[in-house]
Amino acid sequence: MTDQITPDGLDERLSEILAAHQGLEGPLLPILHAVQAEWGHVPQASVPLIAKALNLSRAEVHGVVSFYHDFREAPVGTHVLRLCRAEACQAQGGAGIAELVKDRLGVDWHETTANGRVTLEPVYCLGLCACGPAAMIDETVCGGLTRERTLALLEELGA
Amino acid sequence: MKIWLSQDAAARALGADEVARALTAEAVQQGIELQLVRTGSRGMVWLEPMAEVEVDGVRHAFGPLAPGDAAALLAGTCDKGQGPTEEIPFFARQTRLTFARCGVIDPLSLDEYRAHGGFAALEKAREIGAEGVLSELTDSGLRGRGGAGFPAAIKWTTVAKAEADRKYIVCNADEGDSGTFADRMLMEGDPFTLIEGMAIAGLACGAAKGFIYIRSEYPDAIAILTEALRIARGGGLLDGFDLELRVGAGAYVCGEETSLLNSLEGKRGVVRAKPPLPALEGAFGKPTLVNNVLTLASVPAVITGGGKAYAGYGAGRSKGTMPIQIAGNVLRGGLFEAPFGMPLGQLVEEIGGGPRSGAPVKAVQVGGPLGAYFPPALFDTPFTYEDFDAAGGLIGHAGIVVFDDSADMVAQARFAMEFCAVESCGKCTPCRVGAVRGVETIDRIAAGDAAALPLLEDLCHTMKLGSLCALGGFTPYPVMSAVRHFPEEFQLAREAAE
């Protein structure tokens, strides 16, 4: 099982989020994005409340949360480092950069460093295919990664 | 002094924001009054971060810039000059219809958009009406730019003729194919073109509501589109057409139109069986036009210049221009908009300059992760839908990924299956199970199991014919093209084990 902790003030803030999305057609994805923006993941305790508000079953909401790679069911590190694993970055040495990062951080894909600073996620294309290998740190894009630049970035992240 | 500096995500990934800060600080230092205009990209990614400075009324390009170049650029002594931007061979050889304004204007300035011909198409569409628009579109021969290449006019006409109380225009901005970034560049560099194209679609199809479904991996494009939509609404430009931005959640399969519709409705992004066609029963069960960003963004050029003029570009049944994306291990990577028909090898070697590593080209993958690998022996293939189909491939969203001779084709084939397994929506068995078995079978080949190769071919055959959508159905393209064009690598694995 994943996170069982209910964040403080969840009910109140969640009601606001649900109210803000009232009237949208097909509101579940926008709601889940807002929830994740608030707590960094989709807390388990929010699922029944979202389900009730949208007149869905809990299974339906859970099914949507678990379908999409973006939605997390547990908290992550302070920073999320997403490294592109797709073909255009492979052609530019992306696999070597990935090995370097995994080795330096001591984690595999989807894992968080022991100090909680960085979570490593694979991503399949950032649209930076002519300037790879590419990565995204939180919402900041980086291209043309060399070994030196990668190590410097990891240093900055405090990994 | 006026300087244009790209703020495209590729430019920012290469340090454009640091260059901007250095320019601003240096201007203060030198007491120069600097007008810094952040634009989209001109598409010459190898020159990013690229700035432009006007010399005798002509914009000259400087790049790739580092923050340390700021002082020299302001003083007029920068040694990274590339000459007049539009005379750089990579740019001069293009025909920019869809991307005419991208990189030229401030993407969020309505005045500049208008000054460069913006909204002329929407005004003309209002004059000629739905019938007129559909007739121009038919004349243009415009086909869906997302990959399938379906004639746009047929889709539009089907939606226009459908009777319903509500209809929708949905823009597929879930550009997930590796090697493609044209949608992103357009949305960041000229968002009003897409908005205008969608408003014209709404007018022609009788739809009052539109959605842009964009992937979450594009935060820069999301920010610019959000702002562009706010400006368009505020200016009353959409004339009753309501347009909403929706962000995906990291599922590649949602680029498939029926998965996208499920996702838009707030469901798991699983594929729907067709029929019913989305044109008749799409979003929320209503007639829906689903088109790619480039298709919709090409519409203003079609309407302004006329359908017949647009059809004058291209080759055979592949009409108009295609924004081709040259990527991967290549010297001059970027966006190259040209009429259909240029041979693949010319795009890779002459325009792109071959691998950046200096090694020879081994293969290029065209059309994203579901596209075939082409060896140099097939470089005379003209870039059209039909010729690529005949050569056992597809142009897809027109991304070309260049690999040099260090590429391991067995590993590339394995990756195609691995990717399909990660991204399969799980609805149909050939894709869901086949992709996992495909990885295992290629591992057996790599370990030297001679019996596994025919098994892989058989599996690919089943996936190709039995899958519900292009994910499972086209994954065999990269796999089988690698086997077909590089048989020795699959053979070597076997011999090495023996």
Side-chain angles (χ1 to χ4, degrees):
Chain A
M1 282 311 281
T2 48
D3 171 50
Q4 297 287 352
I5 305 157
T6 304
D8 289 339
L10 181 130
D11 284 19
E12 197 182 334
R13 182 69 192 105
L14 186 58
S15 312
E16 288 169 14
I17 290 172
L18 291 168
H21 290 83
Q22 242 177 12
L24 282 191
E25 296 173 278
L28 185 50
L29 257 65
I31 288 172
L32 292 174
H33 275 303
V35 166
Q36 184 150 300
E38 182 73 30
W39 292 289
H41 68 293
V42 179
Q44 210 141 63
S46 69
V47 171
L49 300 171
I50 296 169
K52 188 159 180 246
L54 301 185
N55 199 21
L56 296 171
S57 70
R58 277 186 288 169
E60 281 170 305
V61 176
H62 175 76
V64 171
V65 173
S66 59
F67 180 86
Y68 295 95
H69 298 307
D70 279 5
F71 298 132
R72 306 184 198 100
E73 296 175 60
V76 282
T78 317
H79 298 287
V80 178
L81 168 59
R82 304 211 278 174
L83 267 186
C84 180
R85 288 197 64 211
E87 291 88 341
C89 285
Q90 290 169 16
Q92 299 171 77
I97 297 294
E99 286 314 308
L100 175 71
V101 170
K102 284 190 203 171
D103 182 57
R104 180 73 174 67
L105 296 182
V107 298
D108 205 341
W109 299 116
H110 309 294
E111 291 179 358
T112 303
T113 53
N115 65 3
R117 293 288 296 171
V118 182
T119 299
L120 178 64
E121 294 283 357
V123 64
Y124 296 93
C125 198
L126 294 164
L128 304 170
C129 316
C131 57
M136 187 151 70
I137 298 168
D138 301 322
E139 294 219 324
T140 305
V141 285
C142 325
L145 290 176
T146 56
R147 291 182 67 85
E148 297 68 38
R149 175 123 194 266
T150 306
L151 290 173
L153 284 172
L154 294 180
E155 189 79 21
E156 275 174 44
L157 291 175
Chain B
M1 185 176 184
K2 189 171 180 178
I3 294 180
W4 291 268
L5 177 70
S6 169
Q7 64 169 1
D8 181 271
R12 296 185 65 216
L14 295 171
D17 288 349
E18 288 77 5
V19 173
R21 276 196 288 276
L23 282 169
T24 310
E26 191 63 35
V28 173
Q29 189 91 13
Q30 296 187 17
I32 293 170
E33 201 174 312
L34 174 67
Q35 189 193 352
L36 186 63
V37 182
R38 298 299 297 267
T39 62
S41 175
R42 290 275 200 161
M44 294 175 279
V45 178
W46 82 97
L47 293 179
E48 297 288 4
M50 191 184 100
E52 290 177 90
V53 179
E54 216 164 56
V55 181
D56 301 328
V58 175
R59 277 160 71 161
H60 283 55
F62 293 84
L65 295 175
D69 297 316
L73 189 67
L74 289 168
T77 57
C78 181
D79 60 3
K80 291 185 178 168
Q82 306 287 339
T85 311
E86 298 187 358
E87 288 175 23
I88 296 171
F90 185 94
F91 195 93
R93 298 187 64 173
Q94 300 187 45
T95 304
R96 289 211 161 189
L97 302 180
T98 308
F99 278 78
R101 283 177 289 258
C102 187
V104 178
I105 62 168
D106 172 351
L108 292 173
S109 162
L110 272 182
D111 290 342
E112 287 194 32
Y113 183 68
R114 276 208 188 84
H116 286 80
F119 292 122
L122 184 57
E123 278 160 28
K124 183 173 167 192
R126 283 174 183 149
E127 274 166 35
I128 62 178
E131 289 285 323
V133 170
L134 294 173
S135 145
E136 291 292 349
L137 201 62
T138 305
D139 288 346
S140 75
L142 179 68
R143 292 165 68 176
R145 297 289 188 242
F150 189 77
I154 296 181
K155 228 185 213 186
W156 285 44
T157 308
T158 308
V159 180
K161 283 187 180 157
E163 301 271 346
D165 56 339
R166 271 181 92 73
K167 297 182 192 178
Y168 297 97
I169 308 297
V170 173
C171 170
N172 183 345
D174 196 57
E175 182 180 55
D177 288 352
S178 175
T180 67
F181 44 84
D183 293 355
R184 180 186 62 65
M185 252 185 72
L186 186 111
M187 292 186 287
E188 291 178 8
D190 192 14
F192 292 125
T193 295
L194 173 61
I195 293 170
E196 185 176 356
M198 290 187 74
I200 294 170
L203 186 151
C205 297
K209 171 89 193 222
F211 291 100
I212 301 173
Y213 183 97
I214 188 172
R215 63 201 299 260
S216 62
E217 291 87 344
Y218 284 176
D220 293 54
I222 292 168
I224 290 178
L225 269 180
T226 303
E227 188 59 15
L229 284 173
R230 193 187 62 76
I231 293 168
R233 274 188 217 109
L237 299 164
L238 298 176
D239 198 21
F241 182 69
D242 181 23
L243 198 45
E244 201 179 315
L245 187 67
R246 284 295 171 90
V247 180
Y252 173 76
V253 76
C254 288
E256 197 282 334
E257 63 177 359
T258 61
S259 312
L260 187 154
L261 293 172
N262 274 335
S263 184
L264 187 66
E265 292 180 13
K267 299 173 184 155
R268 292 164 67 89
V270 289
V271 173
R272 298 177 183 173
K274 287 193 271 193
L277 292 172
L280 298 173
E281 218 173 290
F284 309 100
K286 302 294 180 187
T288 303
L289 177 78
V290 186
N291 269 157
N292 172 255
V293 172
L294 299 181
T295 316
L296 291 161
S298 297
V299 168
V302 167
I303 301 299
T304 310
K308 289 204 171 71
Y310 189 81
Y313 296 100
R317 293 200 296 123
S318 301
K319 299 203 185 296
T321 58
M322 188 74 196
I324 297 163
Q325 300 122 85
I326 307 173
N329 186 346
V330 66
L331 193 60
R332 290 184 292 273
L335 182 124
F336 187 83
E337 183 176 352
F340 285 96
M342 190 178 266
L344 176 61
Q346 197 177 352
L347 288 162
V348 174
E349 302 281 8
E350 207 177 299
I351 307 295
R356 195 189 308 151
S357 59
V361 179
K362 181 168 192 175
V364 299
Q365 187 181 25
V366 183
L370 309 177
Y373 286 97
F374 281 74
L378 292 178
F379 273 9
D380 58 352
T381 311
F383 207 86
T384 70
Y385 293 107
E386 291 74 27
D387 290 295
F388 267 62
D389 186 46
L394 47 112
I395 64 170
H397 195 47
I400 300 176
V401 175
V402 182
F403 289 81
D404 73 5
D405 61 0
S406 65
D408 174 346
M409 300 314 292
V410 178
Q412 294 309 127
R414 185 188 191 278
F415 178 79
M417 285 291 188
E418 188 189 345
F419 180 73
C420 182
V422 171
E423 297 296 339
S424 176
C425 82
K427 175 134 175 169
C428 72
T429 315
C431 174
R432 184 186 66 246
V433 178
V436 177
R437 294 288 172 263
V439 172
E440 295 165 1
T441 310
I442 295 171
D443 282 345
R444 279 172 58 187
I445 294 171
D449 183 345
L453 197 53
L455 204 60
L456 180 66
E457 290 184 27
D458 196 31
L459 177 65
C460 281
H461 187 70
T462 303
M463 288 175 73
K464 193 171 173 182
L465 298 179
S467 299
L468 259 180
C469 83
L471 179 50
F474 288 7
T475 293
Y477 276 92
V479 176
M480 289 315 297
S481 60
V483 173
R484 194 176 311 121
H485 300 306
F486 302 92
E488 66 286 358
E489 297 198 21
F490 290 80
Q491 199 67 36
L492 273 180
R494 200 185 301 177
E495 281 165 9
E498 283 164 4

